[in-house]
Amino acid sequence: MIDLNEDKTSEVLVFENLPGTCGTAGCPFDIYKKEKGKWVNVFNTLTGENIGISNTYTNNYIDLFLSKLSTVVRYTWAGKTYQPGEVMATWNGTTFIAPS
């Protein structure tokens, strides 16, 4: 649980690394936000095991870094959900390389 938008209510980040749920594109990753007393899914995607929380914000929500196949992608809040943005790094088999 983490407060992604500093509204004093934590959102729930769920990474589902369970037997049969992961594939070559990664594992399910969901974010739930409490709205009117109920947990509502506001984001879902497939991602690798590396999930990062940024120190930057977009539209008052913390930016996220998610591993997608051989890249790390910055996700930013687009009003109702997170959207993929710029590629922050690419894995070359040995190390991550930042785009030039």
Side-chain angles (χ1 to χ4, degrees), residues 7-91:
D7 67 352
K8 308 233 185 304
T9 301
S10 292
E11 285 72 35
V12 177
L13 284 64
V14 180
F15 180 72
E16 302 170 41
N17 188 0
L18 301 169
T21 62
C22 301
T24 56
C27 299
F29 174 68
D30 297 283
I31 298 176
Y32 294 88
K33 178 179 178 148
K34 200 156 206 178
E35 294 180 356
K36 298 178 184 174
K38 296 182 180 182
W39 290 104
V40 176
N41 185 299
V42 295
F43 178 70
N44 63 341
T45 191
L46 296 174
T47 188
E49 295 179 3
N50 298 309
I51 299 167
I53 306 295
S54 180
N55 62 353
T56 59
Y57 288 76
T58 301
N59 297 320
N60 297 319
Y61 275 74
I62 294 174
D63 297 341
L64 303 175
F65 297 110
L66 303 179
S67 58
K68 296 295 235 175
L69 301 173
S70 62
T71 62
V72 175
V73 177
R74 178 192 302 264
Y75 278 72
T76 57
W77 187 254
K80 295 188 179 199
T81 191
Y82 277 92
Q83 296 293 321
E86 62 189 309
V87 172
M88 303 304 294
T90 302
W91 181 254

